[in-house]
Amino acid sequence: AQTVTQSQPEMSVQEAETVTLSCTYDTSESDYYLFWYKQPPSRQMILVIRQEAYKQQNATENRFSVNFQKAAKSFSLKISDSQLGDAAMYFCAYRSVRGGSNYKLTFGKGTLLTVNP
Amino acid sequence: AAGVIQSPRHLIKEKRETATLKCYPIPRHDTVYWYQQGPGQDPQFLISFYEKMQSDKGSIPDRFSAQQFSDYHSELNMSSLELGDSALYFCASSLATGTGDEKLFFGSGTQLSVL
């Protein structure tokens, strides 16, 4: 079974600064997807960024980028120019590409990000 | 654009009562997933359906059952409710592509409180 580990229960960053959230995972599969989800106080689950394991190029979405190290099974999220609206719980998640039509997500425990004005 | 609709948004029940949570996927989506997120916890996969058939089962108690109907909406039935069932229940939907490239869309969740 796959596991996802987020070793930072809480992080804080100053507005306009950069912060990196860590995530490691364990799997025996060679092809899979990795995600970062944001859950603000509204508790809506919002997709931030997605990485396909067979792609070496790191995914980017505006101020959000990842550092994907497949051999090290590491998948960190970098938030640049942090904004107050970035404050939320961030979950790292893994999804296998095997399994027919079922692609359930396995989540880490989350990192609570605080953005200080 | 239409999103995943869950109802009700909030539900309060007493211990040993039953509850039914509903999920309406995005139109044309054929796959539904249910997740349970306890207070301060990460979401845990409960069960999923593809084309009205159960496709996978996670850590779902025997007191819970679910199904997907002909219009692809899904219901999660919870009986003999316990205090520990208090959680946010997410539904997510996707359109199966068979390539693993499908995108998952989450609803806003149903907050269940068992008193």
Side-chain angles (χ1 to χ4, degrees):
Chain A
Q2 296 82 21
T3 59
V4 178
T5 302
Q6 294 178 247
S7 58
Q8 308 153 315
E10 296 183 28
M11 291 281 284
S12 64
V13 63
Q14 290 295 129
E15 197 175 2
E17 297 293 308
T18 296
V19 64
T20 299
L21 308 184
S22 301
C23 173
T24 59
Y25 59 94
D26 187 28
T27 183
S28 59
E29 298 175 341
S30 59
D31 199 11
Y32 46 86
Y33 286 86
L34 295 165
F35 305 84
W36 279 98
Y37 280 90
K38 169 185 177 181
Q39 189 176 43
S42 68
R43 303 197 75 185
Q44 174 76 49
M45 197 66 78
I46 301 166
L47 176 64
V48 175
I49 200 165
R50 181 176 89 156
Q51 175 78 42
E52 297 160 81
Y54 66 87
K55 288 188 176 179
Q56 293 187 343
Q57 186 173 7
N58 289 322
T60 62
E61 287 287 343
N62 301 313
R63 297 182 295 106
F64 299 88
S65 62
V66 298
N67 183 5
F68 173 49
Q69 302 290 327
K70 190 173 184 180
K73 297 180 181 175
S74 170
F75 182 61
S76 61
L77 174 70
K78 185 171 83 171
I79 306 174
S80 304
D81 186 26
S82 297
Q83 300 175 359
L84 295 178
D86 295 333
M89 180 69 84
Y90 286 81
F91 289 101
C92 178
Y94 173 102
R95 192 183 83 189
S96 171
V97 299
R98 298 190 306 176
S101 298
N102 176 53
Y103 300 113
K104 67 188 179 196
L105 294 170
T106 299
F107 289 89
K109 294 297 183 185
T111 296
L112 181 63
L113 178 66
T114 302
V115 181
N116 301 309
Chain B
V4 178
I5 305 297
Q6 289 188 248
S7 68
R9 289 295 305 274
H10 302 274
L11 189 59
I12 299 175
K13 291 287 185 178
E14 300 279 341
K15 281 196 305 183
R16 292 181 289 277
E17 286 190 323
T18 61
T20 297
L21 279 54
K22 298 184 179 182
C23 169
Y24 297 87
I26 290 173
R28 298 197 311 278
H29 280 194
D30 50 16
T31 307
V32 168
Y33 302 81
W34 285 97
Y35 289 84
Q36 176 192 56
Q37 186 179 22
Q41 301 296 312
D42 55 300
Q44 295 291 317
F45 170 72
L46 292 178
I47 196 166
S48 62
F49 293 87
Y50 167 67
E51 282 291 342
K52 294 154 279 185
M53 299 288 289
Q54 180 181 309
S55 53
D56 199 4
K57 195 172 180 180
S59 50
I60 183 169
D62 291 341
R63 300 177 289 108
F64 294 7
S65 65
Q67 59 181 323
Q68 186 180 31
F69 294 86
S70 58
D71 63 352
Y72 294 100
H73 94 272
S74 178
E75 294 184 4
L76 177 65
N77 298 293
M78 310 159 70
S79 63
S80 302
L81 287 169
E82 302 173 358
L83 296 178
D85 296 329
S86 295
L88 184 64
Y89 290 83
F90 281 112
C91 171
S93 76
S94 67
L95 176 62
T97 63
T99 64
D101 192 36
E102 62 186 57
K103 294 183 179 178
L104 204 60
F105 295 83
F106 280 87
S108 298
T110 292
Q111 179 64 55
L112 173 67
S113 298
V114 182
L115 305 178

